[in-house]
Amino acid sequence: MKTSLLFLILSLSFFASAQTTKIEGIVTDQVTGEPMPFVTVRFQNTKIGTLTDTLGHYMLETYYASDSITFSFSGYLKISKHVDLDTEQIIDVTLPILSTDFEEVVVRAPDELPSTILHKKVIANKKINNKEKLDSYEYEVYNKIQLDLNNIDSSFQERAVVKRLYLIMDYLDEEDDGKSYLPVILSESVSDYYYRKSPKKKMEIVKASKISGIENLDLNQFMGDMYLDVNVYDNSLHIFNKSFISPVSNFARSYYRFYLEDSMFIDNYWCYQLKFVPKRTGDMTFVGEMWIHDTTYAVKQIQMDIAPWVNINYVQGLYIEHHFEQVEDEVWMLTQEKMIADLKITKKTNVYGLYGRRYSSRKKYRINNKRPLSFYNTTSTVTILDSAELRSDEYWANVRHKPLAQQEKGIDNMVDSLNNLPFFNFLKNGLYLATTGYFPINKLEIGDAFSLFSFNQVETFRLGLALRTSNKFSKRLELGGRLAYGFGDERFKYGATIRYNITPKKRGMLSLYYNYDLEQIGQSPSAAAVGSTFGTLFRTGPLDKLTFVEKIGINLEKDFRKDIILYGGFEWKEYTAVGLANYQKPNPITGIDDTITRIQTTEFTARFRWAKDEEFISGNFDRKTLRTKYPIFSIQGIFGVKDLFGADYNYQKVDLFIQQNVHIGVFGRIIYGVNVGKIFGQSAYPFLKVHTGNQSIWLLDNAFNMMNFFEFISDQYIAATIENHWDGFFFDRLLPFNKTLKLRLVTGARMAYGTISPKHGELLRIPSFTKQYGDTPYMEVSMGVENILKLIRVDVFWRLSHLAPGVQVTDIKAFGIRAKYVINF
């Protein structure tokens, strides 16, 4: 535990930026006073030094200075002087003649191993050798990512499916163990990358880009992680959403054993080989070796694999190799990078898996040639030139840093040939159906497989069908429609959607929609919809407070500058209560409530979202966020306008949302979120804040899992959630069998509080089945196990407040089990 606490403290430390130390002066003879040529001048305990010239003058300037400088010459006494680091100074010295008396010489064994001494020097020079010390740099980078179908043995050719896809046999390549692999996707890009330290600016201009291979493979999560920028000088390396301890971490010696094994010249640099192995099982560590330059103590090369017990799914092997060059004096930069990930369900499975291979090459470095700030004033961190995807084969042959292998060149030809085989298209479309719920038929896609049938108290049995256009129809325009029928209420439900990317270069998604269907107000957006087949199977309570909603709207989501997403929308909707929900309006004349059949509202929505350095991997219409280490801030305003298109109410909603995914090293990661909001004006209760509940055993990330629908309604409110995904921190150490099961602990807490003004009840009675918070917030905590069978998460939730009458906080009814499946690493 002490080691873990030390990690947490050190991981928060801040290192100042490195600067050069410049020293010059004259060395003279103490007796004659004359200048002394060829005197050795060296920073103590380093190999940074020089000789005085014929006039006794010397000059040293380096990032690698120590706090003392020594002067030595045969026949003279060695002299040391103190040095002020990171400044310019003049140090003149006089050397006295060496006395002939000799003192006793005592020989002792070293207090530290040579490997420890070497690693300490690597750590001492980290900030100097790290590229972050530089004021600016730029380079050209070539990236190549390839996905291969692996684990192919001799029986592969005999399978009936393969015989029907005989064309692929010409593209198989063989591994050392006799098994083969088949390239299926190849992505290439050539970019110019620019970085400035102060103020911090970075920019990438993609000059050429192409993707070859099989379409409709849903591999976005894996592809995104292959684009990781791994810096071995960081204390923690975040790979596949896990935090690994770097062997060049400040606290690496608490997690690794180091062995000094060899020394040799590499590219004319004398280097030491430092092998590293984990001290114990259970830690997120690597096994490998690095070569250290003997003068600057910079990493010249590093090769490493993840430790075999690492608690990470599907990745049976992960190999990383970095090569560094001294592109200028005392400036080491990464020039080549290789990453190979072996993805299989289990290590010894006979099921086919994937190789993910990344090769990155960087050259044409320019160091500390600052460009003006105006150069970085672009609307996006990454700019893709219009001609990037139109480059000719001749262009690619000239700009590739490394030629393609024969199998890589043939991927497009193979896929073109396979696409002419009906059986291959059936397999490809079947995989697309399993991942999206839609089956492609030329320019259309038919579905939704996840909403074909369902059940609820209003409709009883329900059937549904959906259609949408495919990318073959258009990569900018998508048309969609759906139709459903409820046998209980004997009504058709339907809807239509149009999506158009008005600015594909800088995403601007325009959406128009019309819906006429049942909805559950207060249900999480991530929950299974009313018409979901999946949701029907896992409900813990009846959907007896449904609302029939007719709505029409238009909205635009537009990326603005580098980190900002703007959203604007208009929506008209009409609510009709069904089931137990009802609309009762007080009548001050009769004193008897009037029953309202339906209520209407017209809303305008504006949202500002800021996520610093957020990265996405995008399709033509949808995209998935990959990562940002900073909090995501969103401010939203919804404005209801009375009498516009028959609207009944005038109100204004203002919300602030904050969320973040924080890696905390060996302790895993914390995900937290906060929502604060207030509603001004007067409105009917369905348009107020209906706190998000959950009436199913399906675990919802953005809901209160022990709260019922419509249980709490507010007009000013705050809600907060926090989850700690401990990865293998506890179970890897406590459960001896966890090396195989790879179970992970997850803990969490959720809180909500709000108030509601009586003025809203003057328009529409607040239903009797709702509650008031009073002086006590709603609270629930949870503890669970995730990664069961690498797929399932099960949590036990404990409701701590606002329990049902007669239920104590320690009663079994205060507890609930929620579960879900999730595919992650």
Side-chain angles (χ1 to χ4, degrees):
M1 193 63 182
K2 290 181 178 179
T3 300
S4 300
L5 289 174
L6 177 63
F7 168 84
L8 183 60
I9 294 170
L10 290 177
S11 66
L12 298 174
S13 60
F14 176 82
F15 296 100
S17 58
Q19 301 180 29
T20 59
T21 300
K22 182 178 181 180
I23 303 175
E24 60 180 320
I26 296 175
V27 182
T28 57
D29 187 299
Q30 188 181 55
V31 177
T32 66
E34 294 183 355
M36 295 181 61
F38 310 118
V39 175
T40 300
V41 184
R42 186 190 306 273
F43 285 105
Q44 192 166 332
N45 298 324
T46 76
K47 294 188 177 183
I48 307 298
T50 188
L51 297 175
T52 58
D53 59 20
T54 56
L55 299 177
H57 180 266
Y58 74 93
M59 193 276 287
L60 282 172
E61 183 175 9
T62 182
Y63 287 105
Y64 301 94
S66 62
D67 59 3
S68 298
I69 190 170
T70 62
F71 302 84
S72 59
F73 192 77
S74 179
Y76 286 77
L77 187 66
K78 186 176 181 179
I79 297 293
S80 295
K81 294 288 185 179
H82 174 74
V83 173
D84 295 325
L85 298 178
D86 301 333
T87 64
E88 296 185 13
Q89 56 209 281
I90 296 175
I91 300 179
D92 296 329
V93 299
T94 58
L95 292 185
I97 296 176
L98 182 65
S99 170
T100 57
D101 294 333
F102 293 96
E103 297 179 357
E104 177 184 8
V105 177
V106 179
V107 179
R108 295 188 179 92
D111 296 328
E112 294 182 310
L113 295 172
S115 59
T116 302
I117 296 172
L118 178 59
H119 190 266
K120 283 186 173 180
K121 290 183 177 180
V122 172
I123 300 305
N125 288 278
K126 263 181 63 171
K127 66 180 180 181
I128 300 171
N129 292 317
N130 196 342
K131 62 185 180 182
E132 305 300 329
K133 74 179 181 183
L134 302 171
D135 290 332
S136 68
Y137 57 83
E138 56 190 69
Y139 54 82
E140 181 184 82
V141 57
Y142 168 71
N143 276 313
K144 178 177 70 175
I145 294 180
Q146 179 177 326
L147 294 185
D148 307 324
L149 186 68
N150 66 12
N151 210 29
I152 300 174
D153 57 19
S154 56
S155 64
F156 178 77
Q157 302 181 35
E158 303 303 320
R159 300 188 179 187
V161 172
V162 176
K163 288 182 178 180
R164 298 179 68 176
L165 302 176
Y166 56 89
L167 290 167
I168 66 177
M169 304 312 301
D170 295 335
Y171 298 92
L172 290 175
D173 203 355
E174 189 168 312
E175 302 179 84
D176 293 336
D177 60 2
K179 293 189 175 182
S180 300
Y181 64 89
L182 177 69
V184 292
I185 295 178
L186 178 67
S187 170
E188 293 181 280
S189 66
V190 179
S191 307
D192 289 329
Y193 185 87
Y194 304 87
Y195 174 85
R196 178 180 174 132
K197 180 179 179 181
S198 182
K200 188 174 181 180
K201 300 284 185 180
K202 60 181 180 180
M203 183 174 67
E204 183 176 2
I205 299 176
V206 181
K207 301 185 292 186
S209 176
K210 65 184 301 187
I211 297 179
S212 307
I214 300 174
E215 296 180 350
N216 290 344
L217 289 183
D218 189 14
L219 300 169
N220 282 350
Q221 182 177 358
F222 177 66
M223 289 286 285
D225 280 288
M226 292 299 293
Y227 281 99
L228 287 168
D229 183 14
V230 177
N231 184 354
V232 296
Y233 287 106
D234 290 340
N235 290 328
S236 297
L237 307 181
H238 304 307
I239 305 173
F240 293 113
N241 212 24
K242 307 295 177 188
S243 293
F244 290 81
I245 307 299
S246 170
V248 194
S249 165
N250 291 0
F251 35 82
R253 291 189 301 279
S254 297
Y255 293 86
Y256 293 95
R257 289 188 175 91
F258 292 92
Y259 302 94
L260 185 60
E261 294 210 330
D262 200 357
S263 58
M264 61 181 290
F265 278 106
I266 300 179
D267 299 331
N268 296 320
Y269 296 102
W270 187 252
C271 299
Y272 299 112
Q273 184 187 24
L274 195 60
K275 179 182 176 181
F276 49 90
V277 296
K279 278 189 172 181
R280 55 190 168 269
T281 61
D283 291 330
M284 303 292 284
T285 48
F286 297 94
V287 178
E289 63 181 34
M290 52 185 169
W291 290 86
I292 308 300
H293 182 219
D294 74 328
T295 302
T296 63
Y297 301 104
V299 177
K300 180 69 175 72
Q301 289 182 11
I302 186 169
Q303 299 91 28
M304 56 189 182
D305 293 277
I306 57 173
W309 54 77
V310 164
N311 195 330
I312 185 171
N313 288 335
Y314 314 117
V315 182
Q316 306 305 328
L318 178 64
Y319 173 78
I320 297 174
E321 179 179 326
H322 283 185
H323 294 256
F324 296 84
E325 295 289 343
Q326 198 166 200
V327 296
E328 288 187 5
D329 289 342
E330 301 183 349
V331 176
W332 291 88
M333 299 295 283
L334 178 65
T335 54
Q336 287 192 70
E337 177 182 18
K338 295 179 183 177
M339 180 187 292
I340 302 175
D342 181 9
L343 263 69
K344 299 189 187 78
I345 296 176
T346 62
K347 187 177 288 290
K348 297 181 180 180
T349 183
N350 291 322
V351 178
Y352 305 131
L354 287 172
Y355 279 137
R357 308 172 190 264
R358 178 188 178 188
Y359 171 78
S360 179
S361 173
R362 309 177 186 194
K363 63 183 183 180
K364 299 180 182 179
Y365 274 98
R366 295 185 65 196
I367 305 299
N368 291 338
N369 291 308
K370 283 188 178 180
R371 293 179 179 268
L373 284 175
S374 58
F375 176 77
Y376 298 91
N377 289 337
T378 61
T379 58
S380 175
T381 302
V382 179
T383 300
I384 302 176
L385 298 182
D386 293 336
S387 56
E389 298 180 357
L390 305 175
R391 300 299 189 183
S392 65
D393 292 341
E394 292 77 14
Y395 179 91
W396 277 105
N398 291 327
V399 299
R400 282 190 186 99
H401 294 191
K402 183 180 180 180
L404 294 180
Q406 193 61 39
Q407 282 76 12
E408 294 169 339
K409 294 179 181 178
I411 288 179
D412 272 341
N413 292 333
M414 177 192 71
V415 174
D416 288 342
S417 300
L418 287 174
N419 281 329
N420 292 322
L421 298 178
F423 184 65
F424 173 76
N425 284 297
F426 176 78
L427 292 178
K428 183 176 68 172
N429 293 340
L431 177 61
Y432 186 73
L433 172 67
T435 55
T436 67
Y438 284 84
F439 189 85
I441 303 176
N442 200 5
K443 295 182 179 182
L444 290 177
E445 296 178 0
I446 186 171
D448 180 355
F450 306 131
S451 300
L452 290 178
F453 67 88
S454 61
F455 176 86
N456 61 68
Q457 277 62 38
V458 174
E459 297 175 294
T460 61
F461 187 68
R462 169 183 171 129
L463 291 177
L465 182 69
L467 286 173
R468 69 184 186 191
T469 56
S470 68
N471 289 343
K472 290 183 178 180
F473 172 78
S474 173
K475 293 185 178 181
R476 293 183 63 181
L477 175 64
E478 180 188 71
L479 307 178
R482 57 187 180 82
L483 178 67
Y485 182 76
F487 289 86
D489 61 355
E490 298 181 345
R491 295 177 71 176
F492 281 100
K493 291 85 181 177
Y494 42 86
T497 304
I498 300 174
R499 292 199 293 175
Y500 182 66
N501 193 350
I502 60 175
T503 53
K505 187 175 181 180
K506 188 70 172 175
R507 178 184 170 92
M509 189 60 66
L510 178 67
S511 300
L512 296 90
Y513 58 89
Y514 173 80
N515 282 319
Y516 182 75
D517 204 346
L518 285 170
E519 291 187 13
Q520 175 62 67
I521 308 301
Q523 181 170 260
S524 168
S526 60
V530 171
S532 168
T533 304
F534 193 73
T536 295
L537 302 176
F538 293 100
R539 292 193 187 118
T540 57
L543 294 183
D544 54 8
K545 305 179 187 70
L546 294 174
T547 303
F548 211 104
V549 179
E550 181 180 11
K551 59 184 176 182
I552 185 170
I554 180 172
N555 59 63
L556 174 65
E557 183 182 82
K558 183 74 176 72
D559 290 2
F560 181 74
R561 302 191 64 82
K562 296 181 180 180
D563 308 310
I564 296 172
I565 299 175
L566 300 179
Y567 175 95
F570 163 85
E571 183 176 77
W572 173 90
K573 52 192 173 186
E574 181 181 83
Y575 284 7
T576 303
V578 293
L580 296 181
N582 56 73
Y583 302 148
Q584 300 292 323
K585 183 178 181 179
N587 189 326
I589 298 175
T590 64
I592 302 175
D593 290 349
D594 296 330
T595 299
I596 306 295
T597 305
R598 56 180 60 89
I599 55 177
Q600 296 179 352
T601 185
T602 301
E603 294 180 339
F604 293 89
T605 301
R607 183 166 61 242
F608 173 93
R609 183 181 185 275
W610 179 61
K612 181 176 173 59
D613 294 343
E614 185 177 26
E615 300 174 14
F616 294 94
I617 187 163
S618 301
N620 292 307
F621 298 98
D622 300 300
R623 61 183 175 181
K624 176 182 177 62
T625 181
L626 287 180
R627 65 188 67 87
T628 175
K629 63 181 181 180
Y630 300 101
I632 300 173
F633 296 91
S634 295
I635 300 175
Q636 177 175 275
I638 299 177
F639 308 95
V641 183
K642 187 176 181 180
D643 297 328
L644 182 62
F645 300 112
D648 299 316
Y649 309 106
N650 193 63
Y651 56 90
Q652 304 83 40
K653 301 179 184 179
V654 179
D655 278 280
L656 170 66
F657 302 91
I658 304 173
Q659 63 184 90
Q660 188 178 12
N661 188 339
V662 185
H663 288 272
I664 51 176
V666 295
F667 299 107
R669 57 195 172 93
I670 289 177
I671 302 173
Y672 71 85
V674 178
N675 170 215
V676 180
K678 183 174 176 62
I679 300 174
F680 302 89
Q682 249 183 317
S683 180
Y685 73 86
F687 304 133
L688 301 178
K689 175 66 174 181
V690 180
H691 292 268
T692 307
N694 182 18
Q695 291 182 199
S696 74
I697 64 171
W698 185 255
L699 194 157
L700 298 176
D701 295 326
N702 300 314
F704 295 95
N705 283 275
M706 297 291 289
M707 182 186 292
N708 293 323
F709 297 136
F710 276 116
E711 188 170 354
F712 294 97
I713 300 175
S714 304
D715 64 1
Q716 53 183 355
Y717 44 88
I718 181 171
T721 65
I722 185 169
E723 278 190 352
N724 194 342
H725 296 256
W726 296 90
D727 292 338
F729 180 76
F730 286 109
F731 289 165
D732 286 356
R733 290 165 171 79
L734 300 177
L735 305 179
F737 51 81
N738 208 49
K739 294 179 184 178
T740 302
L741 297 181
K742 295 186 177 181
L743 303 177
R744 303 165 187 169
L745 178 68
V746 57
T747 56
R750 300 163 195 240
M751 180 278 294
Y753 182 76
T755 61
I756 184 170
S757 171
K759 65 183 180 182
H760 303 294
E762 299 171 1
L763 298 179
L764 213 62
R765 294 285 188 195
I766 306 299
S768 59
F769 48 73
T770 67
K771 297 178 181 178
Q772 300 293 314
Y773 286 104
D775 297 328
T776 305
Y778 173 90
M779 292 179 291
E780 63 183 34
V781 295
S782 63
M783 178 178 291
V785 178
E786 59 182 346
N787 210 43
I788 302 171
L789 302 177
K790 299 184 179 181
L791 191 67
I792 301 170
R793 170 180 167 181
V794 178
D795 282 28
V796 176
F797 279 84
W798 185 14
R799 179 163 172 165
L800 301 178
S801 62
H802 295 285
L803 300 170
V807 177
Q808 302 298 316
V809 73
T810 55
D811 291 350
I812 190 66
K813 291 183 179 180
F815 295 84
I817 295 176
R818 301 291 184 266
K820 69 175 182 176
Y821 77 87
V822 58
I823 299 175
N824 58 35
F825 293 108

